[in-house]
Amino acid sequence: MSLTLPIYLRGRTFVLHFRIRGRQIKRSLHTTDPQIAKIRALKLLMVVQMATKGDNPNLLDFNINLADVRKYKLNPQTGEMETNGTPEDHRNMMEAIDRIGIIQGGFPKTGSSKNTVSGSSKGIKLHEIGFTLSDVLGKFKSLKKSLSEGTMTDYDATVKQFDEWSEKPALDEIDGEKITAYMEWLSERGNSERTIDKKIGTLRALFNFAIKHKYYIGENPAAERNLLTRKQKNSGGLNFFKLEDIKQMFDCEAFRQLATADPAFYLITVTGLITGIRVSALAALKSTDLRINLDGDPYIRVKKDKTAAGTRDVPIPVILHRRLKTFLENAGGFGFTARKDGKGASDPIRKLLNEHLEAVGMGDEELTFHGLRKTLNNFFIREKVEFEARCQFMGHEVDHVNVAVYGTAFDVHELAAKVLPSQEKMLALIGFE
């Protein structure tokens, strides 16, 4: 009869998985050989049985004089050690501790500053330290300097929520079942499918980072756990404006009055439509960002955006360039206050946009400022602006070897020649003068 043991292959090693008094225990067996895994599992289970079931022998049962017994005491919580034996006994115990490895919850503490130094203690590999998601997030921040403040805010919030919900487990204690339970918990609290996917995406990214940098050995439990398909993600939440919507919204007396009543909102909205620059990047513009190259082509220099590809030079028609630069020189900026959490200045602009859409009978269309960006790109497609030019103009990264490795970016003069005719058509459509 074959022997059945609570072991399974996880990633590159067999793992022993059992419970002691209701507490779940997992222990790597450090082998991919099933026979060796069984032998090691039996040895561990025998020790556990003796320690927990009352079968551990008493030295008095063996007629041993306790005065002759050399003792070695170890407190795993503090790291304090004490022995009444010989120096040889001490060396033997230190070797035994090295073979045992890290004791979860013992010394050094998981997640303490002693575990966040570069490298690892002698005899202990990084993945054996027992990093938590919070620990990995700290490593992630220290190495990923280019990520936006808004992205880091989202990561912080998600990891804090997950740790509070799950009582801050080590990475090797987070499996697919725990990810599913977290998703169900989020759903019960009213999170949408898109929000759940975003939070699980954060966990997935941190696990990928941990695997890549050897903080964790095993499979990513958050891999392929999306609720929405790629098509659903791309189509949901951010509607296009139809061209007739654009005309209704811009080419009307209510909007023309805003040129005087609220010139900041008026100009930032027109500029968003004509340049496709994201709202927070627009709100951060200064007059010095409005430039003209040696060929006489006006453009906007975007110094900070959501992505690296978003930092770019964007051609702009002369008539809009002049009005925008004059306004920014006089006002010093658009005046929209960015949120303290790094999410940009979209809130006050969204509020004003919703009020205007309501005023012109479009309040129930679920349209957003970002929808202007999608509308412009779609207009470029209809106008036959080539793919590479659209991507560079909109700040989209092209992940193809022909473009990324063998191609070069258009300069402002070349890009302006490709997009300016379409931009001027859009300005004519909205009656901008």
Side-chain angles (χ1 to χ4, degrees):
M1 182 176 68
S2 61
L3 179 62
T4 300
L5 293 169
I7 63 174
Y8 60 89
L9 187 64
R10 181 175 184 179
R12 302 190 182 102
T13 185
F14 274 96
V15 173
L16 174 64
H17 186 181
F18 59 99
R19 291 182 180 274
I20 299 177
R21 295 170 184 165
R23 181 177 178 181
Q24 184 174 239
I25 304 294
K26 292 181 182 178
R27 178 78 179 192
S28 172
L29 298 173
H30 301 291
T31 182
T32 57
D33 187 306
Q35 300 305 319
I36 295 176
K38 288 181 180 180
I39 293 172
R40 291 179 178 174
L42 283 171
K43 291 175 67 177
L44 285 170
L45 289 172
M46 179 182 69
V47 173
V48 171
Q49 174 74 15
M50 292 180 66
T52 62
K53 300 298 183 180
D55 296 331
N56 46 316
N58 191 311
L59 290 177
L60 296 176
D61 296 336
F62 296 89
N63 197 27
I64 295 176
N65 186 353
L66 295 181
D68 296 332
V69 175
R70 296 193 298 272
K71 300 178 181 179
Y72 197 104
K73 299 178 181 179
L74 168 64
N75 186 335
Q77 301 297 324
T78 64
E80 295 177 357
M81 305 175 197
E82 179 184 346
T83 180
N84 62 354
T86 65
E88 181 65 24
D89 292 328
H90 181 80
R91 284 194 295 272
N92 291 340
M93 180 55 70
M94 294 304 295
E95 291 177 1
I97 291 173
D98 282 341
R99 289 194 297 271
I100 293 171
I102 281 291
I103 301 173
Q104 289 292 336
F107 180 84
K109 294 284 188 181
T110 298
S112 71
S113 59
K114 295 181 180 295
N115 283 341
T116 56
V117 297
S118 59
S120 58
S121 302
K122 181 179 178 182
I124 300 174
K125 295 183 178 180
L126 281 175
H127 70 271
E128 296 176 327
I129 291 177
F131 287 105
T132 66
L133 276 173
S134 294
D135 297 328
V136 173
L137 179 58
K139 301 283 189 181
F140 187 80
K141 288 180 178 180
S142 68
L143 294 177
K144 295 277 191 178
K145 304 289 188 183
S146 62
L147 290 176
S148 69
E149 186 179 350
T151 298
M152 285 293 91
T153 298
D154 286 341
Y155 275 46
D156 285 335
T158 297
V159 170
K160 180 181 179 181
Q161 182 189 59
F162 182 84
D163 277 349
E164 289 177 352
W165 170 80
S166 61
E167 298 181 352
K168 205 171 185 178
L171 294 183
D172 61 5
E173 296 174 335
I174 302 173
D175 54 17
E177 292 181 0
K178 189 172 288 292
I179 295 295
T180 298
Y182 177 56
M183 294 171 70
E184 292 173 346
W185 181 80
L186 290 173
S187 179
E188 290 170 358
R189 277 148 187 78
N191 288 260
S192 67
E193 293 177 345
R194 188 175 298 276
T195 300
I196 295 173
D197 276 359
K198 184 177 181 180
K199 291 182 177 182
I200 298 303
T202 296
L203 303 187
R204 180 165 55 250
L206 291 175
F207 264 102
N208 284 337
F209 174 83
I211 292 169
K212 182 177 182 179
H213 295 284
K214 310 303 180 185
Y215 301 121
Y216 168 73
I217 302 297
E219 297 179 355
N220 188 333
E224 300 180 1
R225 304 302 297 274
N226 292 333
L227 296 174
L228 298 177
T229 65
R230 183 180 294 273
K231 183 177 181 180
Q232 288 173 320
K233 285 184 178 181
N234 291 338
S235 63
L238 301 172
N239 294 335
F240 289 91
F241 287 79
K242 296 179 181 179
L243 291 183
E244 53 266 33
D245 295 332
I246 292 295
K247 190 164 184 64
Q248 180 179 344
M249 172 183 167
F250 287 91
D251 191 15
C252 64
E253 188 59 29
F255 190 72
R256 281 188 282 272
Q257 288 178 0
L258 289 173
T260 303
D262 194 344
F265 174 69
Y266 175 85
L267 284 173
I268 202 171
T269 308
V270 173
T271 306
L273 173 66
I274 301 302
T275 67
I277 298 174
R278 293 181 177 92
V279 61
S280 292
L282 279 176
L285 291 179
K286 304 297 181 184
S287 62
T288 53
D289 298 322
L290 276 290
R291 306 187 180 192
I292 298 177
N293 68 3
L294 295 177
D295 294 309
D297 302 295
Y299 66 96
I300 296 174
R301 173 151 293 176
V302 181
K303 296 177 181 176
K304 185 178 181 180
D305 199 17
K306 182 179 179 180
T307 65
T311 56
R312 64 203 190 278
D313 294 337
V314 182
I316 183 174
V318 173
I319 184 174
L320 180 56
H321 180 272
R322 288 175 180 169
R323 292 215 18 205
L324 191 56
K325 188 171 183 66
T326 299
F327 171 80
L328 292 175
E329 284 177 342
N330 293 333
F334 283 109
F336 295 110
T337 304
R339 285 166 50 172
K340 295 181 179 180
D341 61 4
K343 292 295 187 71
S346 61
D347 288 349
I349 300 171
R350 179 175 63 249
K351 181 180 178 181
L352 291 170
L353 177 61
N354 289 341
E355 289 175 356
H356 176 66
L357 291 174
E358 189 70 34
V360 297
M362 298 173 62
D364 60 348
E365 298 290 337
E366 297 184 358
L367 297 168
T368 66
F369 195 98
H370 196 80
L372 298 175
R373 174 176 162 86
K374 294 182 70 173
T375 299
L376 179 64
N377 186 72
N378 192 50
F379 186 66
F380 281 160
I381 294 173
R382 294 185 180 184
E383 289 286 300
K384 310 301 181 187
V385 177
E386 61 192 270
F387 173 74
E388 292 80 9
R390 294 200 312 270
C391 288
Q392 182 177 328
F393 183 92
M394 303 300 296
H396 291 150
E397 183 176 355
V398 182
D399 188 17
H400 191 285
V401 66
N402 185 268
V403 177
V405 178
Y406 293 96
T408 57
F410 301 110
D411 61 30
V412 171
H413 182 67
E414 293 170 327
L415 188 58
K418 296 177 181 296
V419 302
L420 191 57
S422 300
Q423 289 177 303
E424 290 178 338
K425 281 186 180 180
M426 188 66 82
L427 282 178
L429 177 69
I430 67 174
F432 184 84
E433 298 177 353

